[in-house]
Amino acid sequence: MELFTKEYYMNEALKQAKIAFEEGEIPVGAVIVLKNRIIARAYNQTEKLNDVTAHAEMLAITSAANYMGAKYLNDCKLYVTLEPCTMCAGALFWSQIGEVHYAAQDEKRGYRKSNPEILHPKTKVFQGPFREESEQLILDFFKKLRK
Amino acid sequence: MELFTKEYYMNEALKQAKIAFEEGEIPVGAVIVLKNRIIARAYNQTEKLNDVTAHAEMLAITSAANYMGAKYLNDCKLYVTLEPCTMCAGALFWSQIGEVHYAAQDEKRGYRKSNPEILHPKTKVFQGPFREESEQLILDFFKKLRK
């Protein structure tokens, strides 16, 4: 896969989601990119941490801010395998992140259902690649869970 | 002040907000109560932690879940000095918290402006006591900041 493309970054987010899958977590992964460099990688850890706030995006925001020593992420891009929920979109608003790329849509819990205007007006939003793979991973997870 | 009343708990949240004030943080404080007992206390630490996700409510949710060893807070009550923002309301949704009591309203960034239905349908919401004190503390903070 060609480096430094949106496919490359979303695939890296998908790798994080696959780690979540293996660990029994709802498989969502995220990376945050600054100047072509991945500065944060995270996957959903709500089960392991017993913490509803431990979504991939939240952990990635905290990690990226920690890396930068600054809390605003204006020059950063988030790649996440599932449309952010209301909580994560609210956090992304505060971070003023430059771009949000998400793969699968979340019709039920995605932020757009609450209010598509939650994100910061400066944030550009893209439906990213690997939509089907990201959706399938989540479907497979719940199928396995029901067994 | 009489123990185990909503005034008592909100005053404890206000004490947390005053610590935030002293530490140069936007002064918002929160406590989470389980069976009349305060199981988590937190104040906004976005500056100190360089992290936009470090709102009082988020830290309190994580702390309460950690105390309980469980991530759902159905039997818990949150007391917070300011109306939760969209991010915090989204987190409170996931936590399925039993009650939310907030003091000051936040006309600009409060969750009700995004969508008053963000909280879990089971969560009861109350406008709590100490509204004026909580508002004044925030006004004093920004007045001091501008000097």
Side-chain angles (χ1 to χ4, degrees):
Chain A
M1 192 166 302
E2 204 182 340
L3 282 170
F4 311 141
T5 58
K6 61 185 198 278
E7 287 75 19
Y8 173 74
Y9 296 124
M10 193 62 87
N11 192 44
E12 292 297 307
L14 193 53
K15 285 183 193 170
Q16 292 293 309
K18 287 172 183 168
I19 299 172
F21 185 97
E22 293 303 322
E23 297 190 2
E25 303 278 355
I26 295 178
V28 181
V31 301
I32 292 180
V33 175
L34 175 66
K35 294 178 183 165
N36 290 335
R37 187 172 166 184
I38 295 177
I39 62 167
R41 296 170 197 265
Y43 56 90
N44 177 38
Q45 295 196 48
T46 50
E47 293 301 319
K48 187 194 286 175
L49 300 180
N50 250 327
D51 185 349
V52 296
T53 75
H55 284 193
E57 301 94 311
M58 302 298 283
L59 300 175
I61 290 168
T62 298
S63 175
N66 193 42
Y67 171 87
M68 296 174 66
K71 67 183 196 292
Y72 297 117
L73 307 179
N74 301 278
D75 297 329
C76 294
K77 302 175 185 184
L78 171 76
Y79 291 81
V80 57
T81 58
L82 180 66
E83 180 188 342
C85 74
T86 303
M87 168 181 73
C88 292
L92 290 164
F93 167 82
W94 289 119
S95 79
Q96 303 182 14
I97 198 158
E99 295 182 9
V100 170
H101 300 252
Y102 64 85
Q105 289 188 359
D106 187 347
E107 299 295 345
K108 200 168 168 195
R109 298 287 174 222
Y111 76 96
R112 292 175 310 155
K113 198 181 168 190
S114 287
N115 179 347
E117 309 293 312
I118 287 172
L119 291 174
H120 198 279
K122 284 186 202 160
T123 301
K124 292 179 188 151
V125 184
F126 304 87
Q127 173 104 40
F130 291 104
R131 175 177 171 169
E132 280 170 32
E133 292 85 344
S134 299
E135 270 176 11
Q136 195 57 51
L137 191 65
I138 293 171
L139 292 172
D140 289 349
F141 178 81
F142 285 107
K143 196 191 283 180
K144 191 175 149 195
L145 207 64
R146 279 191 299 269
K147 271 187 189 161
Chain B
M1 190 166 302
E2 203 182 341
L3 281 169
F4 310 140
T5 58
K6 61 182 198 277
E7 287 75 19
Y8 172 74
Y9 295 124
M10 192 63 86
N11 192 45
E12 292 298 306
L14 192 53
K15 285 183 192 170
Q16 293 293 309
K18 286 172 183 169
I19 299 172
F21 185 98
E22 293 302 324
E23 298 190 1
E25 302 278 354
I26 295 178
V28 181
V31 301
I32 292 180
V33 175
L34 175 66
K35 295 178 182 164
N36 290 333
R37 185 169 167 187
I38 295 177
I39 63 167
R41 297 171 196 264
Y43 55 90
N44 177 37
Q45 295 196 49
T46 51
E47 293 301 320
K48 188 195 283 177
L49 300 180
N50 250 327
D51 185 349
V52 297
T53 74
H55 283 193
E57 301 95 311
M58 303 297 283
L59 300 175
I61 290 168
T62 298
S63 175
N66 193 42
Y67 172 87
M68 295 175 67
K71 67 183 196 291
Y72 297 116
L73 307 178
N74 301 277
D75 296 329
C76 295
K77 302 175 185 184
L78 171 76
Y79 291 81
V80 58
T81 58
L82 181 66
E83 180 187 341
C85 74
T86 303
M87 168 181 73
C88 292
L92 290 164
F93 167 82
W94 289 118
S95 80
Q96 303 183 14
I97 198 158
E99 296 183 7
V100 169
H101 299 253
Y102 64 85
Q105 290 189 358
D106 187 347
E107 300 295 346
K108 202 170 166 192
R109 299 286 174 224
Y111 77 96
R112 293 177 309 155
K113 196 181 170 192
S114 286
N115 179 348
E117 309 292 313
I118 288 172
L119 292 174
H120 199 279
K122 285 187 202 159
T123 301
K124 292 178 189 154
V125 183
F126 303 88
Q127 172 104 42
F130 291 104
R131 176 177 171 169
E132 280 170 32
E133 292 84 344
S134 299
E135 270 177 10
Q136 194 57 51
L137 190 65
I138 292 171
L139 292 173
D140 289 348
F141 177 80
F142 284 106
K143 196 191 283 180
K144 191 175 149 193
L145 207 64
R146 279 192 298 268
K147 270 183 191 164

